[in-house]
Amino acid sequence: MAPLSVLYTKIDNRPPEIIKSQGNYLETSDGRKIFDASCGAAVACLGHNDPRVKEAIVAQLDQIAYIYSPFFTVPAAEEIATFLTESTGGAMKKVFIVSSGTEAIEASLKMARQYFTELSEPQWQRTRFIARRQSYHGNTLGSLAAGGHKARRAIFEPIIAQNVSHVSPCYPYRDKKQGESNEEYVARLAEELEEEFQRVGPDTVCAFIAETMSGTTLGCVPAVPGYLKAMKEVCDRHGALLVLDEVMSGMGRTGTLHAWEQEDVVPDLQTVAKGLGAGYAPIGALLVGTRVAEALAKGTGSFTHSQTYQGHPIACATACAVQKIIRDDNLLENVREQGAYLEQLLKERLGGHKNVGDIRGRGLFWALEFVKDKTTKEPFPVGEGIAQKVHLTGLQKEHCVSVIPGVGVADGKNGDIVQIAPAYNVSREDVERIVEGVEGVINAVFP
């Protein structure tokens, strides 16, 4: 066997080799056909190997493969940017196209800072950000600083920016007090954010950044009604921006193209990625709201940031094709319909399991949180590796279903979840296959 040259997640532990993908299935070199109930990392929202996307990629290759966006533009970039702004009803005015969600977050941090430098001089002192614990916004140093994932931050703490502070996430399963109404819970979280503004100095804060619907570090937690609106009210009170990270939850995953459409709030800046290009090409985007876009237009007239592959023609053409398929195949309605069926089956089949503490989600974005005791909600110690056990058990030939593991949801260290995030075009039969497979895996891990 040849030396293992790839730097794997576990350095010398080679993961299963995928030799073919089609529809919802991944075929391994040893003959397994794994149902991809996670879309990789909630990315492959059309499933695998859609010929319409491949045709669009080849057509773009026949025209032009690469240009440097600061010098030139291409029709595909103009088309996907126009689609994105129009999809917000014009609330977001400009689009900056990058190659990943992390890059979109980096751009959002820079854009938020630059916005205040475009205003009168007293605003230049704004250099701070407020984010949430048990959050994830990417793995570069800037985006890592914004995130609240303890394990991913740990060894890099000495070299990441110290201008970000963190408040509580919106996590009713663990943090809502007994007898507390949704309104009272939202008011408490809003007060905590207000207190953090006051602690660091309200005139020093550029933005509050949050996932519209939490990803793997908390596990598909929908915002309590009114929560994001209340957070924006705090930001508006102090002139700060609201940045919503929809890298995982956006572009249809929760049943609407933008997750914030269900929250009665419009962000000042928004990031998208995974469902934008469905994994056929690396692409992400920063959507810039009216307030920020107009400040730049009236000020320097440019964004002090660029990247080699921004607005990549092939990635843009890919995203255009993916979004047309989502529209033409009426997939957002299917996400809502099959998402409701997935919720029903998960709760019927696993809601009573002694180690399934919570089942939560929206659209085709669901998580199961595992506990040692359902009454006390005591999490499993991180050393037991429960989420990873569930994931790896699912890949075995007797189950052949892939889910996304997550750890640290309870307190940043302990607490395990798995996410289920299948393709937008799944059928009722597919949903039944997923739930049957996940139930078998959980019964195997928790005999």
Side-chain angles (χ1 to χ4, degrees):
M1 185 177 178
L4 301 178
S5 299
V6 175
L7 184 61
Y8 302 118
T9 301
K10 295 294 184 181
I11 192 163
D12 285 328
N13 186 8
R14 190 176 192 229
E17 183 180 40
I18 303 301
I19 59 171
K20 185 178 180 181
S21 60
Q22 185 68 47
N24 289 311
Y25 287 89
L26 305 170
E27 186 175 331
T28 66
S29 55
D30 61 6
R32 282 173 287 166
K33 290 188 69 175
I34 297 172
F35 193 104
D36 188 7
S38 66
C39 285
V43 175
C45 61
L46 300 182
H48 301 274
N49 223 354
D50 191 300
R52 295 167 291 182
V53 183
K54 293 193 292 184
E55 288 172 8
I57 292 170
V58 172
Q60 182 61 50
L61 280 169
D62 286 341
Q63 294 172 349
I64 184 167
Y66 171 75
I67 51 95
Y68 185 43
S69 289
F71 294 170
F72 307 103
T73 189
V74 292
E78 301 291 337
E79 182 179 351
I80 193 60
T82 299
F83 166 81
L84 287 169
T85 56
E86 289 181 350
S87 72
T88 69
M92 313 306 281
K93 292 291 186 182
K94 297 291 182 180
V95 175
F96 184 74
I97 303 165
V98 291
S99 300
S100 69
T102 291
E103 292 172 30
I105 290 292
E106 288 284 331
S108 78
L109 299 174
K110 286 188 172 183
M111 181 66 80
R113 165 60 184 162
Q114 184 175 339
Y115 166 73
F116 289 102
T117 69
E118 301 285 344
L119 305 179
S120 59
E121 187 172 343
Q123 298 290 339
W124 296 0
Q125 65 190 331
R126 291 187 185 253
T127 59
R128 298 193 60 87
F129 294 85
I130 302 174
R132 305 190 301 182
R133 293 186 289 275
Q134 290 128 292
S135 61
Y136 179 65
H137 299 293
N139 250 341
T140 54
L141 291 176
S143 59
L144 194 62
H149 191 288
K150 287 184 180 180
R152 288 175 175 168
R153 290 171 56 102
I155 66 171
F156 303 110
E157 288 285 357
I159 64 170
I160 62 176
Q162 300 301 305
N163 64 330
V164 183
S165 55
H166 295 83
V167 294
S168 298
C170 183
Y171 187 13
Y173 173 65
R174 289 191 177 276
D175 294 347
K176 192 176 174 185
K177 297 177 181 178
Q178 187 173 5
E180 189 175 39
S181 68
N182 283 342
E183 292 76 14
E184 291 167 336
Y185 181 45
V186 167
R188 179 159 60 86
L189 292 174
E191 179 60 27
E192 181 185 356
L193 181 60
E194 172 65 30
E195 289 174 357
E196 186 61 16
F197 266 90
Q198 297 301 329
R199 187 187 73 81
V200 301
D203 57 353
T204 70
V205 178
C206 291
F208 172 63
I209 179 170
E211 296 156 286
T212 310
M213 185 169 160
S214 63
T216 312
T217 53
L218 204 57
C220 301
V221 181
V224 170
Y227 165 75
L228 286 170
K229 186 176 181 181
M231 298 301 105
K232 190 171 192 308
E233 287 172 354
V234 175
C235 292
D236 289 346
R237 188 181 309 144
H238 301 296
L241 303 179
L242 174 65
V243 181
L244 290 183
D245 178 350
E246 297 201 357
V247 167
M248 187 172 259
S249 65
M251 303 314 296
R253 175 58 60 188
T254 67
T256 50
L257 201 63
H258 306 288
W260 54 258
E261 293 178 65
Q262 301 173 56
E263 302 297 343
D264 192 26
V265 67
V266 178
D268 296 296
L269 297 170
Q270 174 192 357
T271 60
V272 296
K274 296 174 185 289
L276 180 57
Y280 287 88
I283 186 169
L286 169 65
L287 280 62
V288 182
T290 302
R291 169 185 175 187
V292 179
E294 290 182 352
L296 260 67
K298 294 174 182 177
T300 60
S302 63
F303 182 26
T304 310
H305 178 60
S306 67
Q307 295 185 234
T308 300
Y309 297 111
Q310 70 186 61
H312 195 281
I314 295 172
C316 291
T318 299
C320 289
V322 168
Q323 297 311 311
K324 286 174 184 174
I325 292 168
I326 290 173
R327 179 197 63 198
D328 294 347
D329 291 2
N330 203 21
L331 293 185
L332 294 181
E333 182 177 335
N334 195 62
V335 169
R336 295 189 289 269
E337 181 180 336
Q338 301 307 330
Y341 189 45
L342 178 60
E343 174 185 13
Q344 175 191 328
L345 291 188
L346 285 172
K347 291 181 176 179
E348 285 177 359
R349 302 284 286 272
L350 291 165
H353 192 285
K354 63 184 178 67
N355 296 114
V356 176
D358 194 29
I359 299 172
R360 54 185 179 250
R362 183 180 290 165
L364 287 174
F365 197 42
W366 288 85
L368 309 176
E369 181 169 346
F370 303 113
V371 292
K372 290 184 71 174
D373 186 289
K374 290 187 77 155
T375 302
T376 64
K377 303 180 183 178
E378 179 187 0
F380 287 94
V382 64
E384 293 193 25
I386 293 297
Q388 187 70 355
K389 284 180 183 177
V390 173
H391 166 67
L392 293 176
T393 301
L395 300 184
Q396 300 309 305
K397 62 181 180 180
E398 58 267 38
H399 304 292
C400 280
V401 61
S402 177
V403 294
I404 308 172
V407 297
V409 299
D411 56 17
K413 179 181 178 182
N414 304 295
D416 299 88
I417 59 102
V418 292
Q419 285 178 305
I420 300 167
Y424 299 172
N425 50 15
V426 288
S427 64
R428 285 178 66 88
E429 291 74 22
D430 293 328
V431 169
E432 291 163 2
R433 162 73 177 89
I434 291 168
V435 175
E436 180 182 355
V438 170
E439 182 181 27
V441 170
I442 290 174
N443 288 335
V445 173
F446 303 103

